[in-house]
Each structure stands twice: as structure tokens, then as C-alpha cells.
Amino acid sequence: MIWLSWRQFRTQALVGVGALAVLAAYLLHLGLRIRDSRAGYLARCQPQGDCAQAMAQFVGEYQNTLLILAGLLGLVPGILGMFWGAPLVARELEAGTHRLVWNQSVSRRRWLATRLLFVALAAAAVAGLASLLLTWAASPVDTAADDRFSTVVFGARNITPIGYALFAVTLGTVLGLVVRRTLPAMALTVLAFTVVQFGMPNLIRPHLMPPATVTRPMTADAINQVRGLGSITGAAVVRGVTVPDAWVTYTSELRTSDGRALDAGRFDDCLMSPPKTGATGTFGDTARCLGDLDLHVDLAYQPEHRYWPFQWLESAIYLGLSVLLGGFGLWRIRRRVT
């Protein structure tokens, strides 16, 4: 069965190896260039003893490139599920060639389990090596930027792409087994995988561990450091409040000293027509107006030291989903597929 699986899968495997080799060459070159650039920035700033601005420039030089690479790597598991997983059984059922195999000494379950395990491990190897290379290349920038919990970066580093690849291939295989048509199975695989990948960082990941909480006073200086004010709903909110060495998962509305939400009308007054004081900063008079109201926000966050527990927990979730899907596929091929 292993030899047969290799014979049927070798074209896809060789394409994957070729693509991985090209990616490896580029990431090795990029990683060395990043390290040379970092050394140059440090050599210029260390005599003055203040490297914060230099490191910010260093991050800005490579951040967009690395975000694009992380986004592309985020597509790899879905592509593997679409082109490796979905046709794995659907193509056999569509062509009717499964009957020949099932009339041999190999049972249906053994046939499916061997093929699925072979392809899933190959996908995990491709995604894992790509993630390892990108993690190595980007590590100087990741250390300086301190944003390893951001959605795109988290999903493209270390071990989580392995879990994504295992899940995507298993999902595609099971959908092909259920749908029994290759093209619909490929389309459904991409759709279902996209939905899961959207839900995980937005609905599940923030709650994998109980968050820590803190109250942050919203002085004029603090307001000038946020990314934005207000929302399309008109609520009195601030966007982009940070906690050092942490991932902020929740920011409350602006609250008054007695804990009540700031009145939307009062917020709008400060936002649209604040008293003219000549205050400077990002939000100027608006920040001064809001700062005089003795406001605060309640924050929930995940400390940076929880990064690896989150990596392991999320990977375990995807592995568990893969096992459940695989078990369903083994049940269905025995009971429902003829």
C-alpha cells in the first residue's frame, strides 16, 4: 500500500519539493540579508546608547515583505488540502477505480488510512519546513517588533502550520469521500478551511487561556498613543491600546471614574468640537478634552510568555479535529460508500 500510495502521489510530491526548494533558497537569502541589516543598524546606534529608533527603522524595512510571506504561507495548508486532500479519494470514486482496489486483499479502511496518513504526513512536512525557514529568516524582525501574537504572524511561525496542514488535508479527503466529486470537493475544502481559519484567531484563540486584566487610565498622553478614536456605531471607544510584552484581546469602551460607559454625546463633543487649547500630539485638543474627564479603559490581555502554550494548544486543537475527521472517514467508507 505504501508503494502504491507513492506511485499515485509522486507527481504532487515532486511539485511540492520543487516549490519548497525555491522557497528555501529565497528565505535563506532573505534571512542572511536581514541579519546583515540588523548588524548595520546596531553598529550605527550603539555608540549613542539609544537604538529604539534604529530598531523601528529596521522593522519597517522588512515588515511588509515578511507579512506578505506570512500571508502566502497561510495559504499553503489550504492549497495542500485542495490539491492533495480533496482528490485523494474523490478522484478514485469518480473514476470507479476504487472497486479494483477493494477487490484485492486490502480492506477499505486500511486503504483509506494508509493513503490519508501518507499524504497528511507529506503535507505536514512541507508546511513544517516552510514555517521553520520563515521563522528563522524573520526571527530578528520578530524580536524587535514584538508582535508574535498578531493574527498573520502567529499562524505562519513555528508549529501551528503543521496542524493546519494536517487538518486541511484530512478535511479535503473526507469532503471528497462524502461529495464523491473532485471539483466540488476542492471548492468545499477551500471554503470550509477558510471559515475555520477565520474563526480560530477571532473567536477561539483569545480564549484558549484565561486572560489577565488591567485598568488603564486614559490621560491625554495615553490617548495620543492610541491608533484611533470612535467607531462606525458611534460608541466611545479607543483602538490600539497596548500593554508591554502582551497581546491585548479586549478593550472596553471609555469609562468614567464610577465605571459607567462615557456618554456618546459627550464623546462626540470632544471628538468633533473640543475646546481650543492649542494642545499638541496625535489628537491634539480632542485628547486634552477627553483626558480632562478622568476616563479609563478595562483591558484583557495574554502575556508574551504564553506564546508557546498557545502554539501547542492551537496545534493540538487542529490535530484533534484531524483525528475526528479521519475517524469519521473510516466509519463512512465502511458503512456508506459502495
Side-chain angles (χ1 to χ4, degrees):
M1 273 304 298
I2 294 177
W3 174 247
L4 177 62
S5 297
W6 163 248
R7 293 277 296 179
Q8 293 181 311
F9 181 65
R10 60 184 177 181
T11 300
Q12 297 99 309
L14 290 174
V15 171
V17 170
L20 187 60
V22 173
L23 179 65
Y26 174 73
L27 288 177
L28 287 171
H29 169 73
L30 178 64
L32 293 173
R33 196 175 76 194
I34 287 174
R35 283 156 175 79
D36 288 342
S37 177
R38 181 177 181 273
Y41 276 106
L42 289 175
R44 290 195 297 270
C45 72
Q46 282 179 337
Q48 287 75 34
D50 182 11
C51 290
Q53 184 176 0
M55 287 297 97
Q57 293 174 346
F58 165 66
V59 170
E61 183 177 347
Y62 292 101
Q63 196 166 40
N64 288 338
T65 299
L66 292 173
L67 283 175
I68 292 172
L69 287 171
L72 291 175
L73 181 57
L75 297 175
V76 168
I79 293 172
L80 294 176
M82 179 181 180
F83 289 102
W84 289 11
L88 190 64
V89 176
R91 183 173 52 201
E92 301 275 5
L93 297 175
E94 204 170 21
T97 53
H98 64 290
R99 298 187 184 93
L100 176 63
V101 179
W102 292 352
N103 283 321
Q104 309 303 313
S105 60
V106 178
S107 68
R108 299 181 183 189
R109 288 182 175 177
R110 182 185 171 193
W111 173 77
L112 175 61
T114 302
R115 300 203 67 192
L116 176 57
L117 188 61
F118 189 88
V119 175
L121 289 177
V126 169
L129 287 171
S131 173
L132 177 66
L133 289 164
L134 180 57
T135 301
W136 171 81
S139 60
V141 177
D142 290 345
T143 300
D146 192 25
D147 65 344
R148 294 194 302 170
F149 267 115
S150 66
T151 300
V152 177
V153 173
F154 185 91
R157 303 286 196 272
N158 296 301
I159 62 173
T160 50
I162 298 175
Y164 301 162
L166 288 172
F167 171 71
V169 169
T170 307
L171 175 67
T173 302
V174 173
L175 285 174
L177 179 63
V178 173
V179 177
R180 303 172 68 117
R181 294 291 184 270
T182 302
L183 290 179
M186 293 170 72
L188 286 173
T189 299
V190 172
L191 178 61
F193 184 73
T194 301
V195 170
V196 173
Q197 288 296 84
F198 176 81
M200 175 58 75
N202 292 287
L203 302 177
I204 298 175
R205 186 185 298 161
H207 308 291
L208 289 179
M209 296 180 71
T213 58
V214 68
T215 297
R216 176 67 57 83
M218 284 289 101
T219 63
D221 288 340
I223 290 171
N224 278 322
Q225 294 174 15
V226 304
R227 191 173 61 245
L229 297 173
S231 69
I232 58 175
T233 63
V237 299
V238 292
R239 303 188 304 277
V241 182
T242 60
V243 174
D245 299 321
W247 169 38
V248 176
T249 59
Y250 166 77
T251 304
S252 72
E253 295 184 14
L254 287 168
R255 302 186 186 280
T256 58
S257 57
D258 58 2
R260 292 183 297 181
L262 178 65
D263 179 71
R266 201 167 185 186
F267 176 74
D268 287 340
D269 289 340
C270 283
L271 193 64
M272 305 304 296
S273 55
K276 301 300 181 182
T277 62
T280 58
T282 305
F283 298 102
D285 292 330
T286 294
R288 180 66 178 273
C289 178
L290 292 172
D292 290 339
L293 299 179
D294 190 20
L295 304 173
H296 67 272
V297 291
D298 297 324
L299 304 175
Y301 66 94
Q302 298 289 351
E304 178 69 17
H305 65 77
R306 294 181 179 177
Y307 173 81
W308 273 107
F310 269 78
Q311 282 270 322
W312 285 109
L313 284 169
E314 188 161 319
S315 299
I317 289 173
Y318 277 92
L319 179 60
L321 290 173
S322 302
V323 171
L324 290 175
L325 283 171
F328 171 77
L330 293 174
W331 171 83
R332 185 173 180 87
I333 201 169
R334 182 68 180 85
R335 300 289 183 180
R336 300 288 183 175
V337 180
T338 60

Short mmCIF file of all heavy atoms in Angstrom, two decimals, residues 45-108:
data_model
loop_
_atom_site.label_atom_id
_atom_site.label_comp_id
_atom_site.label_asym_id
_atom_site.label_seq_id
_atom_site.Cartn_x
_atom_site.Cartn_y
_atom_site.Cartn_z
N CYS A 45 23.85 52.70 15.93
CA CYS A 45 23.14 53.30 17.07
C CYS A 45 23.79 53.00 18.41
O CYS A 45 23.57 53.75 19.37
CB CYS A 45 21.69 52.82 17.09
SG CYS A 45 21.47 51.09 17.59
N GLN A 46 24.54 51.95 18.54
CA GLN A 46 25.08 51.57 19.85
C GLN A 46 26.02 52.60 20.47
O GLN A 46 26.01 52.78 21.68
CB GLN A 46 25.76 50.20 19.75
CG GLN A 46 24.76 49.05 19.74
CD GLN A 46 25.43 47.70 19.63
OE1 GLN A 46 26.56 47.59 19.16
NE2 GLN A 46 24.72 46.66 20.04
N PRO A 47 26.85 53.31 19.68
CA PRO A 47 27.69 54.34 20.32
C PRO A 47 26.90 55.41 21.05
O PRO A 47 27.36 55.97 22.04
CB PRO A 47 28.48 54.92 19.15
CG PRO A 47 28.53 53.82 18.14
CD PRO A 47 27.22 53.13 18.27
N GLN A 48 25.67 55.72 20.56
CA GLN A 48 24.83 56.71 21.22
C GLN A 48 24.04 56.11 22.39
O GLN A 48 23.47 56.83 23.20
CB GLN A 48 23.84 57.33 20.22
CG GLN A 48 24.47 58.29 19.22
CD GLN A 48 25.24 57.56 18.13
OE1 GLN A 48 24.84 56.47 17.73
NE2 GLN A 48 26.33 58.15 17.67
N GLY A 49 23.96 54.77 22.44
CA GLY A 49 23.25 54.11 23.54
C GLY A 49 21.75 54.12 23.43
O GLY A 49 21.06 53.74 24.37
N ASP A 50 21.19 54.53 22.30
CA ASP A 50 19.73 54.57 22.12
C ASP A 50 19.41 53.97 20.76
O ASP A 50 19.60 54.62 19.74
CB ASP A 50 19.19 55.99 22.23
CG ASP A 50 17.67 56.04 22.10
OD1 ASP A 50 17.04 54.96 22.14
OD2 ASP A 50 17.11 57.14 21.98
N CYS A 51 18.93 52.73 20.76
CA CYS A 51 18.69 52.02 19.50
C CYS A 51 17.20 51.86 19.17
O CYS A 51 16.85 51.15 18.23
CB CYS A 51 19.36 50.65 19.53
SG CYS A 51 21.16 50.72 19.49
N ALA A 52 16.32 52.48 19.95
CA ALA A 52 14.88 52.29 19.73
C ALA A 52 14.47 52.76 18.35
O ALA A 52 13.76 52.06 17.62
CB ALA A 52 14.09 53.03 20.81
N GLN A 53 14.90 53.95 17.94
CA GLN A 53 14.53 54.46 16.63
C GLN A 53 15.15 53.63 15.51
O GLN A 53 14.50 53.35 14.50
CB GLN A 53 14.95 55.92 16.49
CG GLN A 53 14.52 56.56 15.18
CD GLN A 53 14.85 58.04 15.11
OE1 GLN A 53 15.40 58.60 16.04
NE2 GLN A 53 14.53 58.66 13.98
N ALA A 54 16.41 53.22 15.71
CA ALA A 54 17.08 52.41 14.70
C ALA A 54 16.36 51.07 14.52
O ALA A 54 16.19 50.59 13.39
CB ALA A 54 18.53 52.19 15.10
N MET A 55 15.94 50.45 15.62
CA MET A 55 15.23 49.18 15.52
C MET A 55 13.86 49.35 14.87
O MET A 55 13.39 48.47 14.15
CB MET A 55 15.08 48.55 16.90
CG MET A 55 16.38 47.98 17.46
SD MET A 55 17.06 46.59 16.48
CE MET A 55 18.27 47.45 15.45
N ALA A 56 13.22 50.49 15.12
CA ALA A 56 11.94 50.76 14.46
C ALA A 56 12.14 50.87 12.95
O ALA A 56 11.33 50.38 12.15
CB ALA A 56 11.32 52.03 15.02
N GLN A 57 13.20 51.52 12.52
CA GLN A 57 13.51 51.61 11.09
C GLN A 57 13.85 50.25 10.50
O GLN A 57 13.45 49.92 9.38
CB GLN A 57 14.67 52.58 10.89
CG GLN A 57 14.34 54.03 11.22
CD GLN A 57 15.56 54.93 11.14
OE1 GLN A 57 16.70 54.47 11.09
NE2 GLN A 57 15.32 56.23 11.14
N PHE A 58 14.57 49.45 11.27
CA PHE A 58 14.91 48.09 10.84
C PHE A 58 13.65 47.25 10.63
O PHE A 58 13.50 46.57 9.61
CB PHE A 58 15.83 47.46 11.88
CG PHE A 58 15.97 45.97 11.75
CD1 PHE A 58 16.60 45.42 10.65
CD2 PHE A 58 15.50 45.13 12.75
CE1 PHE A 58 16.73 44.03 10.53
CE2 PHE A 58 15.64 43.75 12.64
CZ PHE A 58 16.26 43.21 11.52
N VAL A 59 12.72 47.31 11.59
CA VAL A 59 11.47 46.57 11.46
C VAL A 59 10.68 47.06 10.24
O VAL A 59 10.16 46.27 9.45
CB VAL A 59 10.63 46.70 12.74
CG1 VAL A 59 9.22 46.15 12.53
CG2 VAL A 59 11.31 45.98 13.89
N GLY A 60 10.60 48.39 10.08
CA GLY A 60 9.86 48.94 8.95
C GLY A 60 10.42 48.54 7.60
O GLY A 60 9.67 48.41 6.62
N GLU A 61 11.71 48.30 7.54
CA GLU A 61 12.35 47.94 6.27
C GLU A 61 11.89 46.56 5.77
O GLU A 61 11.78 46.34 4.57
CB GLU A 61 13.87 47.95 6.44
CG GLU A 61 14.64 47.64 5.17
CD GLU A 61 16.14 47.73 5.36
OE1 GLU A 61 16.59 48.26 6.41
OE2 GLU A 61 16.88 47.27 4.46
N TYR A 62 11.62 45.64 6.71
CA TYR A 62 11.31 44.26 6.30
C TYR A 62 9.90 43.81 6.68
O TYR A 62 9.48 42.72 6.27
CB TYR A 62 12.32 43.31 6.96
CG TYR A 62 13.71 43.46 6.41
CD1 TYR A 62 14.68 44.17 7.12
CD2 TYR A 62 14.06 42.93 5.18
CE1 TYR A 62 15.97 44.31 6.62
CE2 TYR A 62 15.34 43.06 4.68
CZ TYR A 62 16.29 43.76 5.40
OH TYR A 62 17.55 43.91 4.89
N GLN A 63 9.16 44.60 7.42
CA GLN A 63 7.89 44.14 7.94
C GLN A 63 6.89 43.79 6.84
O GLN A 63 6.22 42.75 6.88
CB GLN A 63 7.28 45.18 8.88
CG GLN A 63 6.17 44.63 9.76
CD GLN A 63 5.84 45.59 10.89
OE1 GLN A 63 5.80 46.80 10.71
NE2 GLN A 63 5.60 45.05 12.07
N ASN A 64 6.76 44.63 5.82
CA ASN A 64 5.80 44.36 4.75
C ASN A 64 6.16 43.09 3.98
O ASN A 64 5.29 42.27 3.65
CB ASN A 64 5.72 45.54 3.80
CG ASN A 64 5.02 46.74 4.41
OD1 ASN A 64 4.25 46.60 5.35
ND2 ASN A 64 5.28 47.92 3.88
N THR A 65 7.45 42.91 3.70
CA THR A 65 7.88 41.70 2.99
C THR A 65 7.54 40.45 3.79
O THR A 65 7.03 39.47 3.25
CB THR A 65 9.40 41.75 2.74
OG1 THR A 65 9.70 42.87 1.92
CG2 THR A 65 9.87 40.48 2.05
N LEU A 66 7.80 40.49 5.09
CA LEU A 66 7.54 39.33 5.93
C LEU A 66 6.04 39.09 6.12
O LEU A 66 5.61 37.94 6.22
CB LEU A 66 8.22 39.51 7.29
CG LEU A 66 9.75 39.47 7.25
CD1 LEU A 66 10.34 39.81 8.60
CD2 LEU A 66 10.25 38.11 6.78
N LEU A 67 5.25 40.15 6.14
CA LEU A 67 3.80 39.96 6.21
C LEU A 67 3.26 39.30 4.96
O LEU A 67 2.37 38.43 5.02
CB LEU A 67 3.11 41.31 6.45
CG LEU A 67 3.16 41.86 7.87
CD1 LEU A 67 2.54 43.25 7.92
CD2 LEU A 67 2.43 40.94 8.85
N ILE A 68 3.79 39.69 3.81
CA ILE A 68 3.37 39.05 2.56
C ILE A 68 3.75 37.57 2.55
O ILE A 68 2.95 36.70 2.18
CB ILE A 68 4.00 39.78 1.35
CG1 ILE A 68 3.39 41.18 1.22
CG2 ILE A 68 3.77 38.99 0.06
CD1 ILE A 68 4.09 42.05 0.19
N LEU A 69 4.97 37.27 2.99
CA LEU A 69 5.41 35.88 3.06
C LEU A 69 4.56 35.08 4.04
O LEU A 69 4.20 33.93 3.77
CB LEU A 69 6.88 35.82 3.46
CG LEU A 69 7.88 36.26 2.39
CD1 LEU A 69 9.28 36.38 2.99
CD2 LEU A 69 7.89 35.27 1.23
N ALA A 70 4.23 35.69 5.18
CA ALA A 70 3.39 35.00 6.16
C ALA A 70 1.99 34.74 5.59
O ALA A 70 1.41 33.68 5.80
CB ALA A 70 3.29 35.83 7.43
N GLY A 71 1.46 35.72 4.85
CA GLY A 71 0.17 35.52 4.22
C GLY A 71 0.19 34.41 3.19
O GLY A 71 -0.73 33.59 3.10
N LEU A 72 1.29 34.35 2.41
CA LEU A 72 1.42 33.28 1.42
C LEU A 72 1.55 31.92 2.09
O LEU A 72 0.95 30.94 1.64
CB LEU A 72 2.63 33.54 0.52
CG LEU A 72 2.51 34.75 -0.42
CD1 LEU A 72 3.82 34.98 -1.17
CD2 LEU A 72 1.37 34.54 -1.42
N LEU A 73 2.32 31.87 3.18
CA LEU A 73 2.45 30.61 3.90
C LEU A 73 1.12 30.20 4.51
O LEU A 73 0.81 29.01 4.60
CB LEU A 73 3.52 30.73 5.00
CG LEU A 73 3.77 29.46 5.82
CD1 LEU A 73 4.18 28.30 4.91
CD2 LEU A 73 4.85 29.70 6.87
N GLY A 74 0.31 31.19 4.91
CA GLY A 74 -1.00 30.87 5.44
C GLY A 74 -1.91 30.21 4.42
O GLY A 74 -2.85 29.49 4.77
N LEU A 75 -1.63 30.44 3.12
CA LEU A 75 -2.42 29.81 2.06
C LEU A 75 -2.00 28.38 1.77
O LEU A 75 -2.76 27.61 1.19
CB LEU A 75 -2.30 30.63 0.76
CG LEU A 75 -2.82 32.07 0.78
CD1 LEU A 75 -2.51 32.75 -0.54
CD2 LEU A 75 -4.31 32.09 1.05
N VAL A 76 -0.76 28.04 2.15
CA VAL A 76 -0.20 26.73 1.79
C VAL A 76 -1.05 25.57 2.31
O VAL A 76 -1.38 24.66 1.55
CB VAL A 76 1.26 26.61 2.27
CG1 VAL A 76 1.76 25.17 2.17
CG2 VAL A 76 2.16 27.52 1.44
N PRO A 77 -1.45 25.54 3.60
CA PRO A 77 -2.28 24.41 4.06
C PRO A 77 -3.58 24.28 3.26
O PRO A 77 -3.99 23.16 2.93
CB PRO A 77 -2.55 24.74 5.52
CG PRO A 77 -1.41 25.59 5.94
CD PRO A 77 -1.09 26.43 4.73
N GLY A 78 -4.23 25.41 2.96
CA GLY A 78 -5.46 25.34 2.17
C GLY A 78 -5.22 24.80 0.78
O GLY A 78 -6.02 24.02 0.25
N ILE A 79 -4.10 25.19 0.17
CA ILE A 79 -3.76 24.68 -1.16
C ILE A 79 -3.48 23.20 -1.11
O ILE A 79 -3.89 22.42 -1.99
CB ILE A 79 -2.55 25.46 -1.72
CG1 ILE A 79 -2.95 26.92 -2.00
CG2 ILE A 79 -2.02 24.81 -2.99
CD1 ILE A 79 -1.79 27.81 -2.38
N LEU A 80 -2.76 22.76 -0.08
CA LEU A 80 -2.49 21.33 0.07
C LEU A 80 -3.78 20.55 0.27
O LEU A 80 -3.95 19.46 -0.29
CB LEU A 80 -1.54 21.11 1.25
CG LEU A 80 -0.13 21.68 1.10
CD1 LEU A 80 0.67 21.46 2.39
CD2 LEU A 80 0.61 21.06 -0.08
N GLY A 81 -4.68 21.08 1.08
CA GLY A 81 -5.95 20.41 1.27
C GLY A 81 -6.76 20.34 -0.01
O GLY A 81 -7.43 19.34 -0.29
N MET A 82 -6.66 21.39 -0.82
CA MET A 82 -7.42 21.47 -2.06
C MET A 82 -6.88 20.52 -3.12
O MET A 82 -7.64 19.79 -3.77
CB MET A 82 -7.40 22.91 -2.56
CG MET A 82 -8.13 23.15 -3.86
SD MET A 82 -8.00 24.90 -4.36
CE MET A 82 -8.93 24.86 -5.88
N PHE A 83 -5.55 20.52 -3.31
CA PHE A 83 -4.96 19.76 -4.41
C PHE A 83 -4.43 18.39 -4.00
O PHE A 83 -4.25 17.53 -4.86
CB PHE A 83 -3.83 20.58 -5.05
CG PHE A 83 -4.32 21.75 -5.84
CD1 PHE A 83 -4.26 23.03 -5.31
CD2 PHE A 83 -4.86 21.58 -7.10
CE1 PHE A 83 -4.71 24.12 -6.04
CE2 PHE A 83 -5.33 22.67 -7.84
CZ PHE A 83 -5.25 23.94 -7.30
N TRP A 84 -4.13 18.20 -2.72
CA TRP A 84 -3.66 16.90 -2.27
C TRP A 84 -4.74 16.11 -1.57
O TRP A 84 -4.85 14.90 -1.75
CB TRP A 84 -2.46 17.05 -1.32
CG TRP A 84 -1.19 17.50 -1.99
CD1 TRP A 84 -1.06 17.97 -3.26
CD2 TRP A 84 0.11 17.54 -1.41
NE1 TRP A 84 0.25 18.31 -3.51
CE2 TRP A 84 1.00 18.05 -2.40
CE3 TRP A 84 0.63 17.20 -0.16
CZ2 TRP A 84 2.36 18.21 -2.17
CZ3 TRP A 84 1.98 17.37 0.08
CH2 TRP A 84 2.84 17.87 -0.91
N GLY A 85 -5.55 16.77 -0.73
CA GLY A 85 -6.54 16.06 0.05
C GLY A 85 -7.82 15.76 -0.70
O GLY A 85 -8.27 14.61 -0.75
N ALA A 86 -8.42 16.79 -1.30
CA ALA A 86 -9.74 16.62 -1.94
C ALA A 86 -9.76 15.56 -3.05
O ALA A 86 -10.70 14.77 -3.13
CB ALA A 86 -10.23 17.97 -2.46
N PRO A 87 -8.75 15.50 -3.92
CA PRO A 87 -8.79 14.47 -4.98
C PRO A 87 -8.40 13.08 -4.51
O PRO A 87 -8.54 12.12 -5.28
CB PRO A 87 -7.77 14.98 -6.01
CG PRO A 87 -7.42 16.37 -5.61
CD PRO A 87 -7.63 16.43 -4.12
N LEU A 88 -7.88 12.95 -3.30
CA LEU A 88 -7.28 11.69 -2.87
C LEU A 88 -8.24 10.51 -2.99
O LEU A 88 -7.88 9.45 -3.50
CB LEU A 88 -6.79 11.83 -1.42
CG LEU A 88 -5.92 10.70 -0.88
CD1 LEU A 88 -4.62 10.62 -1.66
CD2 LEU A 88 -5.63 10.92 0.60
N VAL A 89 -9.48 10.69 -2.52
CA VAL A 89 -10.49 9.64 -2.61
C VAL A 89 -11.53 9.98 -3.67
O VAL A 89 -12.01 9.10 -4.39
CB VAL A 89 -11.17 9.45 -1.24
CG1 VAL A 89 -12.30 8.43 -1.34
CG2 VAL A 89 -10.15 8.98 -0.20
N ALA A 90 -11.86 11.27 -3.78
CA ALA A 90 -12.91 11.67 -4.74
C ALA A 90 -12.56 11.26 -6.16
O ALA A 90 -13.43 10.81 -6.93
CB ALA A 90 -13.12 13.18 -4.66
N ARG A 91 -11.29 11.38 -6.53
CA ARG A 91 -10.88 11.01 -7.89
C ARG A 91 -11.07 9.51 -8.13
O ARG A 91 -11.49 9.09 -9.20
CB ARG A 91 -9.42 11.40 -8.09
CG ARG A 91 -8.87 11.14 -9.48
CD ARG A 91 -7.48 11.71 -9.59
NE ARG A 91 -6.65 11.24 -8.48
CZ ARG A 91 -5.54 11.87 -8.09
NH1 ARG A 91 -5.16 12.98 -8.68
NH2 ARG A 91 -4.83 11.37 -7.09
N GLU A 92 -10.77 8.69 -7.11
CA GLU A 92 -10.96 7.24 -7.24
C GLU A 92 -12.44 6.89 -7.36
O GLU A 92 -12.84 6.05 -8.18
CB GLU A 92 -10.36 6.54 -6.01
CG GLU A 92 -8.88 6.81 -5.79
CD GLU A 92 -7.99 5.87 -6.59
OE1 GLU A 92 -8.53 5.07 -7.38
OE2 GLU A 92 -6.77 5.95 -6.42
N LEU A 93 -13.27 7.53 -6.53
CA LEU A 93 -14.70 7.25 -6.56
C LEU A 93 -15.32 7.73 -7.87
O LEU A 93 -16.21 7.09 -8.43
CB LEU A 93 -15.38 7.91 -5.37
CG LEU A 93 -14.96 7.43 -3.98
CD1 LEU A 93 -15.63 8.26 -2.89
CD2 LEU A 93 -15.29 5.95 -3.79
N GLU A 94 -14.85 8.87 -8.33
CA GLU A 94 -15.38 9.44 -9.57
C GLU A 94 -15.07 8.56 -10.77
O GLU A 94 -15.90 8.37 -11.66
CB GLU A 94 -14.79 10.84 -9.77
CG GLU A 94 -15.60 11.76 -10.63
CD GLU A 94 -15.09 13.19 -10.57
OE1 GLU A 94 -13.91 13.40 -10.20
OE2 GLU A 94 -15.86 14.10 -10.89
N ALA A 95 -13.86 8.01 -10.78
CA ALA A 95 -13.44 7.18 -11.91
C ALA A 95 -13.83 5.72 -11.74
O ALA A 95 -13.77 4.94 -12.71
CB ALA A 95 -11.92 7.28 -12.08
N GLY A 96 -14.21 5.33 -10.54
CA GLY A 96 -14.60 3.94 -10.30
C GLY A 96 -13.43 3.01 -10.05
O GLY A 96 -13.63 1.79 -9.92
N THR A 97 -12.21 3.52 -9.96
CA THR A 97 -11.04 2.66 -9.77
C THR A 97 -10.96 2.10 -8.36
O THR A 97 -10.17 1.19 -8.11
CB THR A 97 -9.75 3.44 -10.08
OG1 THR A 97 -9.73 4.65 -9.30
CG2 THR A 97 -9.69 3.83 -11.56
N HIS A 98 -11.76 2.64 -7.44
CA HIS A 98 -11.73 2.10 -6.07
C HIS A 98 -12.20 0.65 -6.02
O HIS A 98 -11.82 -0.11 -5.13
CB HIS A 98 -12.61 2.96 -5.16
CG HIS A 98 -14.06 2.95 -5.53
ND1 HIS A 98 -14.56 3.55 -6.67
CD2 HIS A 98 -15.13 2.36 -4.91
CE1 HIS A 98 -15.87 3.37 -6.73
NE2 HIS A 98 -16.24 2.65 -5.68
N ARG A 99 -13.04 0.24 -6.98
CA ARG A 99 -13.55 -1.13 -6.97
C ARG A 99 -12.44 -2.15 -7.17
O ARG A 99 -12.45 -3.23 -6.58
CB ARG A 99 -14.61 -1.29 -8.05
CG ARG A 99 -15.84 -0.40 -7.88
CD ARG A 99 -16.91 -0.74 -8.90
NE ARG A 99 -18.03 0.17 -8.81
CZ ARG A 99 -18.16 1.27 -9.54
NH1 ARG A 99 -17.21 1.59 -10.42
NH2 ARG A 99 -19.22 2.05 -9.41
N LEU A 100 -11.47 -1.80 -8.01
CA LEU A 100 -10.35 -2.70 -8.24
C LEU A 100 -9.54 -2.91 -6.96
O LEU A 100 -9.18 -4.04 -6.62
CB LEU A 100 -9.45 -2.14 -9.35
CG LEU A 100 -8.17 -2.93 -9.63
CD1 LEU A 100 -8.51 -4.33 -10.14
CD2 LEU A 100 -7.31 -2.20 -10.67
N VAL A 101 -9.28 -1.83 -6.26
CA VAL A 101 -8.50 -1.93 -5.02
C VAL A 101 -9.26 -2.73 -3.97
O VAL A 101 -8.69 -3.59 -3.29
CB VAL A 101 -8.17 -0.53 -4.49
CG1 VAL A 101 -7.39 -0.62 -3.18
CG2 VAL A 101 -7.38 0.26 -5.51
N TRP A 102 -10.55 -2.48 -3.85
CA TRP A 102 -11.32 -3.14 -2.80
C TRP A 102 -11.56 -4.62 -3.08
O TRP A 102 -11.98 -5.36 -2.19
CB TRP A 102 -12.65 -2.43 -2.62
CG TRP A 102 -12.49 -1.03 -2.06
CD1 TRP A 102 -11.35 -0.47 -1.59
CD2 TRP A 102 -13.51 -0.05 -1.91
NE1 TRP A 102 -11.57 0.81 -1.17
CE2 TRP A 102 -12.89 1.11 -1.35
CE3 TRP A 102 -14.86 0.00 -2.19
CZ2 TRP A 102 -13.60 2.27 -1.06
CZ3 TRP A 102 -15.58 1.14 -1.92
CH2 TRP A 102 -14.95 2.28 -1.35
N ASN A 103 -11.31 -5.06 -4.31
CA ASN A 103 -11.42 -6.48 -4.63
C ASN A 103 -10.13 -7.23 -4.40
O ASN A 103 -10.04 -8.42 -4.68
CB ASN A 103 -11.87 -6.67 -6.09
CG ASN A 103 -13.35 -6.40 -6.25
OD1 ASN A 103 -14.15 -6.77 -5.39
ND2 ASN A 103 -13.73 -5.76 -7.34
N GLN A 104 -9.11 -6.50 -3.92
CA GLN A 104 -7.85 -7.14 -3.55
C GLN A 104 -7.90 -7.49 -2.06
O GLN A 104 -8.94 -7.46 -1.42
CB GLN A 104 -6.67 -6.21 -3.87
CG GLN A 104 -6.69 -5.64 -5.29
CD GLN A 104 -6.71 -6.70 -6.36
OE1 GLN A 104 -5.95 -7.66 -6.31
NE2 GLN A 104 -7.61 -6.56 -7.33
N SER A 105 -6.72 -7.81 -1.52
CA SER A 105 -6.66 -8.24 -0.12
C SER A 105 -6.68 -7.08 0.88
O SER A 105 -6.76 -7.29 2.08
CB SER A 105 -5.39 -9.07 0.11
OG SER A 105 -4.24 -8.28 -0.19
N VAL A 106 -6.62 -5.84 0.37
CA VAL A 106 -6.57 -4.66 1.24
C VAL A 106 -7.99 -4.23 1.59
O VAL A 106 -8.83 -4.05 0.69
CB VAL A 106 -5.82 -3.50 0.55
CG1 VAL A 106 -5.82 -2.27 1.45
CG2 VAL A 106 -4.39 -3.92 0.23
N SER A 107 -8.26 -4.02 2.87
CA SER A 107 -9.59 -3.58 3.29
C SER A 107 -9.78 -2.10 2.97
O SER A 107 -8.83 -1.36 2.76
CB SER A 107 -9.79 -3.82 4.79
OG SER A 107 -8.93 -2.96 5.53
N ARG A 108 -11.02 -1.70 2.94
CA ARG A 108 -11.33 -0.29 2.67
C ARG A 108 -10.68 0.63 3.69
O ARG A 108 -10.09 1.65 3.34
CB ARG A 108 -12.84 -0.06 2.70
CG ARG A 108 -13.64 -0.83 1.69
CD ARG A 108 -15.11 -0.49 1.81
NE ARG A 108 -15.93 -1.25 0.90
CZ ARG A 108 -17.22 -1.02 0.68
NH1 ARG A 108 -17.81 -0.04 1.36
NH2 ARG A 108 -17.90 -1.74 -0.17
#
